[in-house]
């Protein structure tokens, strides 16, 4: 029997050595899109954005206010698209229900619920040119016909005359849901109380508070640098 070569013997006798396992490359954390996060405060207001945002805005607004609609359009790309999306900024909406048409718009936006409020509010503002003139005509010519109805029936008549009910129905609100919202006395009382409280704090709409301090700004051009200085990114 021929002797086994030493090298071959060593190969046979040596234990198998496993190849070192490859370490998984850690993935960078996925940034959260805070424009998808809406919550309702204990006071009944809706807040868009990171609850821990360093910059917290409170906006007093009216859906029948052209300046508010202009602000919503002008600020969207940076305020929502950057500052709120990044988590540095949040905004709390406080509609004041300054007139019958505004009350109807506010009730309908709230009717969309926590997840739908912001989108409903944005569309109401975006379509303001379509329905505001109809609302003014209703208040000037037709509102007196509903004087004997209940307050909620009067508000609904205005919302129907402007097309706001149809607008929200097209967004997916069912007739049953709309009926329930226009029968919600607590919601109407909440809006009216917000309007009453706001008269002690604001001179007009929109009015902004940034981290609890009233901002000397009523448009995006003046508000943006205030937010930047406070840490909005």
């Amino acid at each position: 029997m021929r002797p086994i070569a030493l090298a071959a013997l060593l190969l046979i006798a040596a234990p198998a050595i496993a190849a070192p396992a490859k370490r998984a490359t850690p993935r960078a954390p996925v940034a959260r899109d805070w424009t998808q996060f809406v919550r309702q405060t204990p006071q009944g207001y809706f807040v868009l954005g990171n609850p821990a945002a360093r910059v917290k805005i409170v906006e007093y607004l009216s859906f029948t206010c052209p300046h508010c609609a202009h602000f919503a359009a002008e600020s969207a790309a940076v305020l929502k698209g950057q500052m709120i999306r990044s988590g540095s900024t949040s905004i709390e909406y406080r509609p004041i229900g300054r007139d019958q048409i505004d009350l109807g718009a506010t009730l309908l936006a709230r009717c969309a619920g926590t997840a739908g409020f912001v989108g409903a509010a944005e569309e109401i503002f975006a379509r303001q040119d379509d329905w505001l003139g109809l609302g003014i005509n209703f208040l000037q010519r037709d509102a007196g016909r509903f004087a004997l109805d209940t307050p909620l029936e009067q508000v609904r008549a205005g919302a129907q005359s402007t097309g706001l009910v149809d607008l929200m129905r097209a967004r997916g609100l069912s007739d049953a849901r709309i009926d329930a919202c226009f029968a919600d006395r607590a919601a109407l009382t909440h809006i009216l109380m917000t309007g009453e409280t706001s008269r002690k704090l604001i001179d007009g709409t929109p009015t902004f508070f940034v981290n609890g301090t009233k901002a000397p700004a009523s448009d995006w051009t003046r508000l943006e640098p205030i937010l930047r200085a406070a840490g909005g990114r």
Side-chain angles (χ1 to χ4, degrees):
M1 182 172 171
R2 297 178 61 183
I4 300 174
L6 179 60
L9 182 62
L10 290 174
L11 284 173
I12 295 171
I17 301 175
K22 293 183 179 180
R23 293 185 178 180
T25 303
R27 294 182 179 180
V30 177
R32 180 169 185 173
D33 179 1
W34 286 102
T35 63
Q36 302 303 309
F37 186 85
V38 184
R39 62 188 175 89
Q40 190 170 12
T41 70
Q43 296 77 27
Y45 302 112
F46 295 97
V47 183
L48 173 66
N50 182 2
R54 69 174 67 91
V55 183
K56 293 179 170 61
I57 307 167
V58 173
E59 179 186 4
Y60 288 88
L61 62 95
S62 165
F63 287 110
T64 54
C65 163
H67 297 294
C68 297
H70 181 73
F71 172 81
E74 189 178 28
S75 67
V78 175
L79 177 56
K80 185 178 179 182
Q82 297 178 20
M83 294 181 175
I84 294 174
R85 183 183 297 275
S86 72
S88 70
T89 307
S90 67
I91 185 167
E92 178 179 325
Y93 302 95
R94 295 191 181 183
I96 67 169
R98 66 175 183 170
D99 54 56
Q100 187 172 331
I101 303 302
D102 193 18
L103 285 170
T106 303
L107 278 171
L108 285 167
R110 290 176 60 87
C111 196
T114 302
F117 174 85
V118 174
E122 289 174 343
E123 183 157 7
I124 289 171
F125 275 136
R127 300 284 295 275
Q128 192 188 73
D129 287 345
D130 297 335
W131 58 262
L132 183 56
L134 297 173
I136 293 172
N137 289 338
F138 175 84
L139 293 175
Q140 292 176 343
R141 299 183 312 186
D142 303 321
R145 292 189 296 144
F146 300 91
L148 297 179
D149 293 342
T150 67
L152 280 167
E153 288 171 338
Q154 293 176 35
V155 170
R156 179 167 190 159
Q160 288 176 323
S161 74
T162 60
L164 284 169
V165 169
D166 290 336
L167 185 64
M168 292 299 103
R169 188 180 285 121
R171 288 186 60 83
L173 287 186
S174 67
D175 289 339
R177 176 67 176 163
I178 292 170
D179 290 344
C181 290
F182 279 109
D184 190 345
R185 296 181 181 179
L188 179 62
T189 299
H190 178 271
I191 301 166
L192 293 173
M193 288 181 63
T194 301
E196 185 65 27
T197 302
S198 71
R199 293 187 183 93
K200 304 172 185 177
L201 301 172
I202 69 175
D203 300 317
T205 54
T207 293
F208 305 96
F209 284 75
V210 177
N211 292 339
T213 300
K214 187 177 180 180
S218 59
D219 58 31
W220 176 240
T221 301
R222 292 179 176 85
L223 184 63
E224 182 180 7
I226 295 172
L227 302 180
R228 296 283 188 194
R233 298 290 181 269

